[in-house]
Amino acid sequence: MKITEITVRLGETVNLGNYSNYRPEIAATAEITPVENANRAMEQLTYELQSRLADLVDDALEQAEMEPKYASRLFGVRINRLRGVVLVFEKGLELPAAKTWRDADRWERPDGLSHYMRQDTAMAEAERLEAEGDGELALYLIEHQEDMDVLPELPDPGPEPLWSQKGLREWLLRIFTPEAEWDMLAALPHVTPDHIQAVFYTSPFSTYNKLKDSILAVPVAQADEDDRPENERFPDNWDEEE
């Protein structure tokens, strides 16, 4: 029997989360000429339908903010407002993590986007974000790690203030210190993170207004009245917990 026509039907059920499924189905028919091989024709038609079905599946996954299943290369979209960048980058690349005394890189994934998607989808979303940025964001496509060097640097924060050099920021924020006081406190030699911590843990108060006098006061070293040699005060078999 001579085959003159073939039909291929394909379908796939996709889990989209939240108890939701999607099942695309496609079919195609092709006529076979007398000189064509029916098996090869069916293989070719099946391959074409598989490619189209994969696109339908990946479309549905992206719309559900899920990672595509069939795309061979995936790309993420992130925004860095400090650098003024909307970045499209290939999955697997490491994003810059630069720091200055004032700023640190923050890469935001825009709402409504999956972590990774197909390149065409990622570029379309990035172009939309760039347009919505009113000139504050520039689009970059990075496909190789070494190309991260072309991104703009973090803004120059200027000279590092003394409170930053002394590592006071965390404690000054923790006790709600007005920023107008930071330079004055940092200029005092005895004001260190350890000093503020000691004042904090030995006081019933927890805010700068209540702790200020104690922080400004220079700590007085306690005299050691035990003048015995250390080997007598702490013999070899002495146990601190006893």
Side-chain angles (χ1 to χ4, degrees), residues 71-126:
S72 59
R73 300 174 67 194
L74 297 176
F75 291 78
V77 177
R78 302 292 186 273
I79 292 177
N80 188 317
R81 300 190 185 280
L82 289 172
R83 293 179 183 251
V85 165
V86 53
L87 175 64
V88 177
F89 64 100
E90 188 157 8
K91 183 179 181 179
L93 300 184
E94 294 184 8
L95 300 182
K99 290 183 178 180
T100 67
W101 68 262
R102 186 186 66 187
D103 302 313
D105 269 320
R106 293 191 297 272
W107 297 96
E108 307 168 13
R109 179 167 59 93
D111 292 338
L113 297 187
S114 62
H115 286 279
Y116 297 100
M117 60 205 81
R118 292 167 295 180
Q119 183 174 0
D120 288 348
T121 306
M123 288 299 297
E125 293 292 349

Side-chain angles (χ1 to χ4, degrees), residues 210-232:
K210 299 289 187 179
L211 300 173
K212 181 175 180 179
D213 290 343
S214 297
I215 292 173
L216 294 177
V218 179
V220 178
Q222 297 293 326
D224 188 353
E225 297 179 357
D226 190 343
D227 58 358
R228 291 179 300 164
E230 184 174 316
N231 64 337
E232 294 181 11

Side-chain angles (χ1 to χ4, degrees), residues 51-219:
S51 178
R52 289 164 52 188
L53 182 63
D55 286 341
L56 292 174
V57 169
D58 284 350
D59 285 343
L61 290 170
E62 286 181 343
Q63 290 174 14
E65 299 180 26
M66 300 173 70
E67 191 170 299
K69 178 180 178 180
Y70 290 107
S72 59
R73 300 174 67 194
L74 297 176
F75 291 78
V77 177
R78 302 292 186 273
I79 292 177
N80 188 317
R81 300 190 185 280
L82 289 172
R83 293 179 183 251
V85 165
V86 53
L87 175 64
V88 177
F89 64 100
E90 188 157 8
K91 183 179 181 179
L93 300 184
E94 294 184 8
L95 300 182
K99 290 183 178 180
T100 67
W101 68 262
R102 186 186 66 187
D103 302 313
D105 269 320
R106 293 191 297 272
W107 297 96
E108 307 168 13
R109 179 167 59 93
D111 292 338
L113 297 187
S114 62
H115 286 279
Y116 297 100
M117 60 205 81
R118 292 167 295 180
Q119 183 174 0
D120 288 348
T121 306
M123 288 299 297
E125 293 292 349
E127 289 169 358
R128 174 183 62 81
L129 292 166
E130 181 185 31
E132 293 175 354
D134 294 328
E136 296 181 0
L137 297 174
L139 193 158
Y140 287 80
L141 169 62
I142 302 294
E143 299 180 72
H144 305 284
Q145 190 65 51
E146 59 270 21
D147 293 338
M148 291 290 182
D149 293 340
V150 306
L151 296 175
E153 299 289 339
L154 289 174
D156 183 1
E160 184 176 9
L162 186 57
W163 52 260
S164 176
Q165 297 177 37
K166 294 177 70 173
L168 297 175
R169 177 186 176 90
E170 179 180 348
W171 274 103
L172 294 177
L173 289 173
R174 182 168 179 175
I175 62 175
F176 304 101
T177 309
E179 288 193 29
E181 304 267 289
W182 288 20
D183 290 331
M184 177 273 292
L185 292 171
L188 301 176
H190 72 279
V191 176
T192 64
D194 288 343
H195 173 67
I196 299 177
Q197 181 180 13
V199 170
F200 180 84
Y201 284 122
T202 56
S203 170
F205 306 111
S206 60
T207 60
Y208 177 73
N209 289 338
K210 299 289 187 179
L211 300 173
K212 181 175 180 179
D213 290 343
S214 297
I215 292 173
L216 294 177
V218 179

